[in-house]
Every structure is written in C-alpha cells, then in structure tokens.
Amino acid sequence: AEINLKRELCNFERTKLIDWCTKFRAFPDCHDPESIVIAGLERCVIKNDLSSLIAYLKPILDDYLKNSIITLEQVGNLWTNRENMKSAKRLPKGDSSIAAMGKTSTSTRLSKYEKFYL
C-alpha cells in the first residue's frame, strides 16, 4: 500500500487494512484476502483518490463483501461488467448494434430522420 500510495500509512489506515483482511479471511473460499484489499487499493490509485484513502476504499471493499467478491477474477469481472454497463448507457437509443460498432452510414442516419424534413 505504501509503495503504491508513495507515502507512509498512518496507524488508523494500517488498522483498517488489517480489519478488512480479517473480514475477507472469514470467507472459507477466500485464500488470499490481502490480494482483495490490494485490488481495492489499486482502484483508489486508478481514480487518483489517494488523499482520502479510507473514505474511498471503504465503499469499494464494503461492496466486495456485500457481493461476496473473494477472488481477483471476481474483482476483475465486477469492474468489467460495470464498465460495460456504463458504455451501454451511453449508446444512443435505437439500433444499438450499429451505434456500438460506430458504423452508422449516412443513408441510415438520413432515413431515421426522413419524416422530420420537408
């Protein structure tokens, strides 16, 4: 954590990280609870929210606990699914297959709005 954050952790932060490792260790199938906590720390680094580490890390790890995320594969799947959902929400309504491919022909666009033009 200190290497990724490029600063020394305070005692409160260390205690919280150890507490989360203990919570994940309670899952019988969680063989590497530290890696799950580290994955949460990586999300903080990705989002550049290092100043309030615990405030940002807490909801991430609480979400992992709530959803029984106990492997790095599950962590990766969770974030991939969320990114896909965000991308899907940004697509325009209508023919999502065309919009998703980014290949909307001029005739398709014109015919879509044909009835609006005189």
Side-chain angles (χ1 to χ4, degrees), residues 16-64:
K16 284 297 185 184
L17 293 174
I18 291 168
D19 288 347
W20 278 311
C21 288
T22 303
K23 287 179 184 179
F24 283 103
R25 195 171 284 117
F27 286 91
D29 293 334
C30 187
H31 302 293
D32 190 8
E34 291 81 7
S35 68
I36 304 302
V37 174
I38 290 169
L41 286 167
E42 287 173 356
R43 292 305 301 181
C44 293
V45 172
I46 288 169
K47 294 292 185 180
N48 287 324
D49 195 352
L50 306 177
S51 59
S52 57
L53 171 69
I54 298 300
Y56 189 71
L57 183 61
K58 182 182 180 332
I60 292 172
L61 295 179
D62 286 344
D63 187 35
Y64 292 175

Side-chain angles (χ1 to χ4, degrees), residues 82-97:
R82 288 187 177 167
E83 289 299 320
N84 290 342
M85 287 173 39
K86 284 182 188 177
S87 296
K89 287 181 181 178
R90 284 180 264 184
L91 291 176
K93 300 216 186 244
D95 189 356
S96 60
S97 63

Side-chain angles (χ1 to χ4, degrees), residues 60-74:
I60 292 172
L61 295 179
D62 286 344
D63 187 35
Y64 292 175
L65 286 171
K66 182 180 110 183
N67 292 301
S68 299
I69 306 284
I70 57 170
T71 67
L72 290 178
E73 182 180 358
Q74 291 171 326

